[in-house]
Amino acid sequence: MIRIAAVGDVHVDKDVLGRYRPALEQLPGVADALLIAGDLTRHGTVEEAKCMATEFGDVGVPVVVVLGNHDHQSDQQDAVSDVLRDAGMTVLEGDTTVLELHGHRLGIAGVKGFGGGFAGACASKFGEREMKNFVGTTEAIAERLGAALRGLDVDALVALTHYSPVPETLVGEPLEIYPFLGSYLLGQAIDSAPTALALHGHAHHGSERGRTPGGVPVRNVAHPVIKQAYNVYQLLTDTVDAGLTSV
Amino acid sequence: MTPQLDEYLEAEIQRLLTESGATAEQGITLQRREHRLVLGGEVESAQRRDEICRQITAHFPDVEIACDIGIVRAAAPSEVEEIS
């Protein structure tokens, strides 16, 4: 059994320091790792990254993150990643990490992702250079995600993104902005490997649960969606313990 | 005089809330009522909620706003979901 805590869109800055800590102090008792699905900061500055490192660092379990669009706002994403890595977090962008947990190997592949939309209303690489670049960016990211997932040989495989791989977890958002919230290409990448769970954020008004066309469970863990410090998901289930009620 | 609460004003305010460094919020909903703008959504702190109202009032002093923006709860969970 592996238990994963997950949240996204925590948008940490100095004004929220300490808000998550009481819940995070309980983390080692209820989960084996914490995955954070992007938008770690408000404007993607080094100062905010330091706040993020303070709030979510040293929580007693491994912390694995991807960046979100907010973390790119100040063009300091590399420095932001460095601050988080210095705090002991694993920052994924097209690569993977493997955690040994209770004799099981949990593999995580992560990318920020990007937009483009979904079947029936997706953008195409056609016309203006800007449009080709937009769709091409998502294609390249999705290819890296698929290759990273397929390259892992583990007991449980998790895909971590900021943008959504499916439209189901966007329900609640205006239809008009779906192309800015995710892409079917991410779902296709997730379906190209034996993925057990896909986690994403970004859609604050979206829905919690969905599934890829290939059947992979998808969870939107954006903080305003889950409305608590983190959710806990159990993989490779034998028994439930840790005092949490199974649902 | 109260400005007309039309689509252009709504779009301007939506962009202000996202693009202003003071707010950087993409998840605030705006509902145009007859004489007032109702703000919805959730943010991470009371300061951020108050800043959103302050920014709108500073840029559009004649727009009457009602703020229904909440602060996202950050309690620990009591349940675990089995993924199958």
Side-chain angles (χ1 to χ4, degrees):
Chain A
M1 178 187 76
I2 293 174
R3 295 161 304 171
I4 297 167
V7 64
D9 306 81
V10 292
H11 296 288
V12 177
D13 198 349
K14 54 185 179 298
D15 60 329
V16 299
L17 282 174
R19 272 200 89 217
Y20 287 87
R21 285 313 290 194
L24 293 173
E25 279 160 17
Q26 300 180 32
L27 204 44
V30 297
D32 305 303
L34 173 63
L35 276 55
I36 310 181
D39 276 5
L40 316 172
T41 66
R42 298 177 77 191
H43 309 89
T45 65
V46 167
E47 291 70 26
E48 291 171 359
K50 288 176 180 171
C51 292
M52 173 66 191
T54 300
E55 189 70 3
F56 283 87
D58 196 22
V59 293
V61 299
V63 179
V64 181
V65 310
V66 293
L67 301 188
N69 58 309
H70 277 248
D71 307 315
H72 282 247
Q73 167 63 12
S74 299
D75 295 320
Q76 297 177 23
Q77 55 272 20
D78 291 341
V80 164
S81 295
D82 287 344
V83 169
L84 301 175
R85 289 192 179 105
D86 287 347
M89 299 180 190
T90 300
V91 183
L92 299 178
E93 182 50 52
D95 48 353
T96 64
T97 189
V98 176
L99 303 175
E100 302 274 353
L101 303 166
H102 311 302
H104 297 297
R105 284 162 52 81
L106 171 68
I108 305 156
V111 293
K112 174 179 63 65
F114 203 46
F118 302 91
C122 65
S124 296
K125 214 160 62 176
F126 184 84
E128 300 91 332
R129 173 51 51 197
E130 290 85 351
M131 198 64 196
K132 291 171 184 157
N133 288 345
F134 176 58
V135 178
T137 298
T138 309
E139 277 184 348
I141 291 172
E143 280 169 22
R144 288 209 304 276
L145 175 63
L149 286 164
R150 292 189 300 274
L152 282 169
D153 181 15
V154 293
D155 299 310
L157 185 55
V158 172
L160 179 64
T161 62
H162 180 59
Y163 285 77
S164 177
V166 294
E168 286 86 349
T169 49
L170 303 181
V171 172
E173 296 281 2
L175 266 177
E176 293 86 344
I177 67 168
Y178 278 28
F180 304 108
L181 298 176
S183 165
Y184 80 94
L185 293 166
L186 299 171
Q188 202 168 31
I190 288 164
D191 278 341
S192 74
T195 312
L197 174 65
L199 299 167
H200 75 88
H202 194 40
H204 290 204
H205 297 286
S207 303
E208 195 179 329
R209 295 180 178 84
R211 218 169 255 272
T212 65
V216 177
V218 179
R219 296 294 179 267
N220 175 2
V221 294
H223 187 208
V225 171
I226 66 171
K227 299 183 187 304
Q228 54 190 3
Y230 48 84
N231 272 4
V232 181
Y233 301 105
Q234 184 165 302
L235 301 171
L236 305 173
T237 298
D238 296 322
T239 55
V240 178
D241 63 7
L244 294 182
T245 305
S246 177
V247 293
Chain B
M1 182 183 140
T2 305
Q4 193 183 353
L5 297 177
D6 61 14
E7 290 176 37
Y8 295 126
L9 180 70
E10 179 182 336
E12 270 190 73
I13 292 176
Q14 209 134 36
R15 286 191 61 185
L16 168 73
L17 297 182
T18 301
E19 296 171 13
S20 161
T23 50
E25 295 287 351
Q26 292 184 288
I28 302 304
T29 61
L30 308 175
Q31 279 182 35
R32 283 178 276 129
R33 298 287 172 83
E34 205 166 343
H35 297 296
R36 80 170 53 105
L37 195 64
V38 181
L39 310 178
E42 289 182 298
V43 296
E44 291 287 332
S45 73
Q47 294 96 308
R48 294 185 197 186
R49 178 195 59 203
D50 297 345
E51 183 61 25
I52 287 166
C53 298
R54 203 189 68 74
Q55 285 288 326
I56 295 174
T57 303
H59 286 82
F60 306 95
D62 297 328
V63 172
E64 188 183 333
I65 57 175
C67 182
D68 286 339
I69 298 170
I71 313 302
V72 196
R73 300 179 193 96
S78 58
E79 296 171 336
V80 58
E81 180 185 352
E82 293 180 43
I83 298 295
S84 57

